[in-house]
Amino acid sequence: LSFSDVDKIAKLIPNELGIKLVDALKEEGLNKLVHGNPAVRRIYGLAREVEGLTRQTGVHAAGVVVADRPLVELVPLYRDGPDGGPVVQFDMKSAEGIGLIKFDFLGLKTLDQIRDAVKLIERNTGEVIDMSDIPVDDEATFELLCRGDGLGVFQVESSGMRELLTKLRPSTLDDVVALVALYRPGPLNSGMVDDFIDRKHGRKAVVYDLPELEPILNTTYGVVVYQEQVMKVAQVLASYSLGEADLLRRAMGKKKAEEMEKQKARFMQGAGDNGFDLKKAEAIFELLAMFAAYGFNKSHSAAYGYISYQTAWLKANHRAEYMAALMSIESGNTDKILIYIGDCKRSGLTILPPDVNASFQAFDVPADARTTIRYGLGAIKGVGRGAVEALMEARVAAGGRFIGFMDCLEKLDFGRVNKKFLEALIKAGGFDFTGHERGRLFNGLEIAISYAQREQADKASGQVGLFGMLTGSSKPTFKLPEFTGWSEAQRLGYERDALGFFLSGHPVTTYKEVVDRIASARIAGLTGIANEAEVNICGMPSSIKVVRTKRGDKMGFVGLDDETEQIECVFFADAWARSVRAMREGEPVLIRGKLEKGAEGMKILAESAELMREIRQRSTREVHLTVDYDELRARGRIEALRKALGENTGACKAVLSVTQPNHCVVRLELPLALSVLPNETLQDAVDEVFRRRGVVSFR
């Protein structure tokens, strides 16, 4: 069958985890095809034959097994590819079953992140930080955690975890370790987490059935959180060896009735022999059995919890350097970079755009401006490490700073740097220091590169131009050709192409007056709005994913961002049908829907989406132009303004407000013949007349 035919059949299988083909046949579409088409019926029969079989081998990325003799004497091996190492042919449970010890070695990029932050701090301040010796009672760190400022902090940056931080309000490292263990579906759904929080804050009494339990459970307020606590209770009350206690832990986790009966008899016998009340001992055994299903390995939780604390300490005490190191590690993940930039801005840090004179491969914090972070060139799309290194070498050759666009080009090694690299730098704003508009640099780039390469060739061959020989003067300086500049929308669009998001501005700000009137909040402000509230949110669709429902209808998942943050909007079939036209335009939209808050974060169950452009045109009554008197009286300005208004005629009254030298404002209602259409074209045209943004406002 052709790929398209196979694809149609495959899409009739409902998108449910673990669904069986026999259940999929209950769907009307698939049933009709199987019973009505012999070819499809044969495919379905073949699929049933292979369903459930092992499809392929897989190798655990970090799993290592250890034995007391050569592995080949104990287990069959195979080689993982031509250059791969030996791999055990058993799955992990079977490997353990024959006595192999299995280790899972985790490599965390967070450790690189901590290392890079410490290096930045040392470079900027001279302070050498030993992360294994930081104070574990740092007030600023716990203040940061208590207010839920967990973005970028290891293990606690999900919205659910940040919300839990504000409820728990950790005050010790033990609290942070417990938090890592508790934030899992079992403890959250069982009410165990709420019980833990209430006990910590004194809303529930912390009680121990026996005094011997207090030293084991006091750091978790009497709640059994860790597997090690289960083992220690069995050791203290019933004289289990630690080996026996580990078997008890496993039995409780698996809940095998026969094994549990044996363990209960052993526990009661031991407790009785040690003189404990048997009724209390039985109650404690049942309590352990209940909590063992949710118990977490404390050694794992402590290792992770300590790294959580270390990253929180860095963010609380050296925020800029820590966030720069974090964004450098995540430079390939546009969504995360956008979230972290929003976090930086809210905390008062300034994100400086890429600059070929100041940026490095990674994000950087200038030593003389430690509340700023300079964008890393390596995070620009289409920019490779080799090209950035060539740029850094050229900058050194230029004395540490390029004096202009051509100075940079003439010092670059074009064997390592190509046009695509330079285009990405221009789009991202890397050459804004030259004072040239980005569109002019972009359109003149090819000619400029040719000129720069000729200059390099002349210098390499030692040639001196005829003009210079005769006159003793240098030849005329290269000038970029004149080109019509990019509109604000084009400039931001190209910036988004290069960075993955908007950095120097945002299309939504173009509609600020409308947003202020009709939006419930900016996206970052949704945290202060109640769950399931009806909201209106303005933003730019950053990602769109369309899937088919079981009925074959289309629904959409849209990532929406504004100048503050990003949120997912879910459009079910009817809402998507109403909204798909607006989504296809690639422009700012207003989304109406219901806010939904859950453990995994916030999202909007959308009802509709409408273009901000159309809303503004419909709701604007007047277009205001605000200028200074000196701007207006400049030669040719009034005629240029009249032309710009005349080329964008519409039904909205235009009002000109002129600020006089004595600061008085004169308000002029322009003739009806100069009524205008309130759109971005008008805005760009008027801004072009006055060579600045902010002249036009819509009311």
Side-chain angles (χ1 to χ4, degrees):
L1 271 74
S2 69
F3 175 80
S4 59
D5 288 339
V6 173
D7 192 46
K8 285 174 188 174
I9 299 167
K11 283 179 177 173
L12 292 173
I13 308 292
N15 189 21
E16 288 177 27
L17 189 64
I19 191 168
K20 302 294 183 187
L21 286 172
V22 67
D23 296 321
L25 197 61
K26 296 172 185 175
E27 296 291 321
E28 184 182 349
L30 184 62
N31 194 300
K32 193 179 289 184
L33 262 182
V34 168
H35 289 99
N37 186 321
V40 177
R41 185 161 58 250
R42 180 162 181 258
I43 290 169
Y44 180 80
L46 291 169
R48 286 292 305 275
E49 291 291 328
V50 299
E51 183 178 23
L53 298 180
T54 300
R55 187 179 67 180
Q56 64 196 49
T57 59
V59 182
H60 193 297
V64 176
V65 292
V66 177
D68 61 350
R69 70 197 77 171
L71 283 171
V72 73
E73 296 179 18
L74 298 168
V75 64
L77 305 177
Y78 75 98
R79 191 166 293 284
D80 181 31
D83 303 316
V87 179
V88 172
Q89 289 194 34
F90 288 1
D91 66 22
M92 63 179 185
K93 296 294 181 189
S94 302
E96 286 182 337
I98 65 165
L100 295 177
I101 301 174
K102 180 177 65 68
F103 291 91
D104 194 0
F105 291 102
L106 302 180
L108 298 178
K109 61 185 177 185
T110 306
L111 301 178
D112 290 348
Q113 187 179 302
I114 291 172
R115 175 204 63 203
D116 294 346
V118 167
K119 283 182 180 176
L120 263 179
I121 295 162
E122 183 179 353
R123 188 202 70 186
N124 284 352
T125 68
E127 181 184 359
V128 179
I129 297 171
D130 179 356
M131 290 305 297
S132 64
D133 196 36
I134 60 174
V136 293
D137 57 354
D138 182 63
E139 188 176 333
T141 302
F142 286 110
E143 283 178 3
L144 176 139
L145 291 170
C146 287
R147 65 175 180 264
D149 188 2
L151 279 174
V153 176
F154 183 63
Q155 289 287 293
V156 300
E157 69 173 346
S158 71
S159 59
M161 188 61 112
R162 283 182 280 142
E163 186 178 349
L164 187 56
L165 278 172
T166 61
K167 290 178 180 177
L168 175 63
R169 298 186 61 78
S171 54
T172 66
L173 182 57
D174 278 322
D175 287 346
V176 179
V177 172
L179 194 73
V180 173
L182 289 169
Y183 191 71
R184 293 174 296 117
L188 287 169
N189 296 333
S190 69
M192 180 178 167
V193 176
D194 293 330
D195 190 33
F196 184 94
I197 292 170
D198 287 342
R199 290 184 183 207
K200 173 178 169 57
H201 294 297
R203 293 188 289 268
K204 276 187 181 178
V206 178
V207 292
Y208 304 98
D209 289 347
L210 292 169
E212 289 80 2
L213 296 179
E214 184 172 356
I216 302 170
L217 302 178
N218 60 0
T219 60
T220 54
Y221 311 103
V223 178
V224 181
V225 173
Y226 307 116
Q227 295 170 348
E228 288 90 338
Q229 289 174 319
V230 172
M231 295 167 64
K232 190 67 177 175
V233 170
Q235 184 189 28
V236 169
L237 297 191
S239 298
Y240 273 64
S241 69
L242 288 179
E244 286 180 302
D246 191 47
L247 293 176
L248 170 67
R249 173 193 66 80
R250 290 189 179 204
M252 286 181 166
K254 293 176 180 175
K255 291 194 177 297
K256 289 185 176 178
E258 187 179 337
E259 182 63 26
M260 285 293 285
E261 283 302 316
K262 288 180 185 177
Q263 289 291 347
K264 185 174 181 180
R266 164 71 181 86
F267 187 91
M268 297 300 292
Q269 178 69 45
D273 291 347
N274 288 333
F276 291 107
D277 181 274
L278 290 181
K279 281 192 175 180
K280 283 190 175 181
E282 185 175 14
I284 290 168
F285 184 87
E286 297 301 334
L287 183 72
L288 292 178
M290 180 181 75
F291 279 110
Y294 306 128
F296 197 69
N297 181 264
K298 186 177 183 181
S299 59
H300 179 92
S301 193
Y304 270 29
Y306 187 50
I307 296 172
S308 297
Y309 179 84
Q310 288 180 324
T311 54
W313 184 88
L314 283 168
K315 188 175 181 184
N317 293 282
H318 302 279
R319 193 176 192 112
E321 285 87 357
Y322 177 71
M323 294 305 290
L326 171 64
M327 289 191 285
S328 296
I329 290 288
E330 297 290 355
S331 60
N333 189 330
T334 300
D335 291 342
K336 282 200 168 184
I337 292 288
L338 178 61
I339 291 168
Y340 295 146
I341 284 177
D343 185 69
C344 288
K345 289 178 178 177
R346 286 191 297 277
S347 68
L349 297 177
T350 301
I351 305 296
L352 301 173
D355 186 329
V356 297
N357 271 333
S359 293
F360 296 94
Q361 171 78 28
F363 287 77
D364 189 52
V365 178
D368 58 350
R370 292 185 63 217
T371 58
T372 64
I373 297 174
R374 175 68 71 177
Y375 203 92
L377 298 178
I380 301 173
K381 293 185 176 182
V383 168
R385 179 174 288 275
V388 174
E389 287 172 356
L391 179 68
M392 297 294 101
E393 290 169 17
R395 193 162 77 192
V396 171
R401 183 175 182 82
F402 302 115
I403 59 173
F405 184 57
M406 293 308 300
D407 183 42
C408 175
L409 264 55
E410 288 171 17
K411 289 182 172 62
L412 285 174
D413 176 359
F414 285 99
R416 298 157 66 194
V417 171
N418 59 23
K419 181 183 172 188
K420 185 179 177 184
F421 168 74
L422 293 167
E423 285 178 341
L425 289 180
I426 292 169
K427 289 177 179 179
F431 288 102
D432 286 358
F433 79 94
T434 64
H436 292 301
E437 198 274 333
R438 293 180 193 178
R440 187 180 180 195
L441 291 174
F442 188 87
N443 287 314
L445 179 61
E446 194 163 341
I447 301 169
I449 290 174
S450 296
Y451 180 88
Q453 288 176 323
R454 284 198 303 273
E455 284 291 289
Q456 290 177 348
D458 287 350
K459 286 179 182 176
S461 63
Q463 289 182 7
V464 180
L466 179 64
F467 183 80
M469 289 174 62
L470 295 176
T471 65
S473 304
S474 60
K475 63 183 177 182
T477 306
F478 173 82
K479 286 189 177 180
L480 282 165
E482 291 292 337
F483 286 102
T484 303
W486 290 338
S487 68
E488 182 71 0
Q490 285 176 311
R491 186 183 72 82
L492 289 173
Y494 285 127
E495 183 174 284
R496 186 185 191 178
D497 289 346
L499 301 178
F501 51 86
F502 308 104
L503 182 62
S504 64
H506 199 285
V508 170
T509 58
T510 304
Y511 299 92
K512 183 180 183 303
E513 297 92 342
V514 186
V515 173
D516 289 343
R517 283 203 306 267
I518 63 176
S520 306
R522 301 301 196 267
I523 293 175
L526 289 174
T527 52
I529 294 179
N531 187 30
E532 298 190 350
E534 298 291 332
V535 292
N536 297 333
I537 290 294
C538 303
M540 186 79 174
S542 56
S543 63
I544 299 175
K545 179 184 176 185
V546 181
V547 300
R548 286 196 178 272
T549 66
K550 291 181 184 179
R551 293 167 47 189
D553 299 323
K554 291 181 180 179
M555 64 178 290
F557 296 86
V558 176
L560 191 78
D561 70 66
D562 63 9
E563 68 274 30
T564 67
E565 209 165 297
Q566 191 173 43
I567 193 168
E568 183 183 55
C569 304
V570 181
F571 290 79
F572 292 109
D574 291 345
W576 184 248
R578 288 192 294 271
S579 308
V580 64
R581 182 188 67 84
M583 289 299 172
R584 284 176 178 156
E585 295 294 319
E587 295 181 28
V589 294
L590 171 74
I591 290 181
R592 295 182 171 89
K594 183 186 290 186
L595 180 65
E596 187 176 274
K597 296 181 176 181
E600 296 305 312
M602 296 187 299
K603 60 185 173 185
I604 294 173
L605 302 181
E607 289 296 325
S608 65
E610 190 176 357
L611 289 169
M612 292 294 294
R613 163 169 50 87
E614 295 176 353
I615 294 172
R616 182 168 65 185
Q617 289 180 9
R618 189 174 65 243
S619 63
T620 300
R621 298 290 173 263
E622 291 182 346
V623 174
H624 283 244
L625 315 174
T626 305
V627 296
D628 289 334
Y629 175 72
D630 289 339
E631 286 183 293
L632 193 62
R633 67 192 291 267
R635 186 175 180 182
R637 279 279 170 80
I638 290 179
E639 280 307 313
L641 177 60
R642 186 197 304 275
K643 182 182 177 187
L645 298 178
E647 289 175 350
N648 293 277
T649 56
C652 275
K653 180 167 64 176
V655 176
L656 178 63
S657 295
V658 184
T659 304
Q660 303 286 355
N662 61 1
H663 303 298
C664 291
V665 178
V666 177
R667 186 177 187 275
L668 305 170
E669 292 190 8
L670 300 183
L672 289 177
L674 291 178
S675 294
V676 292
L677 191 65
N679 60 21
E680 196 170 334
T681 306
L682 169 70
Q683 196 165 28
D684 288 337
V686 174
D687 289 343
E688 179 65 24
V689 170
F690 291 96
R691 302 291 181 188
R692 69 176 178 88
R693 299 294 291 175
V695 175
V696 179
S697 61
F698 303 97
R699 302 180 188 178

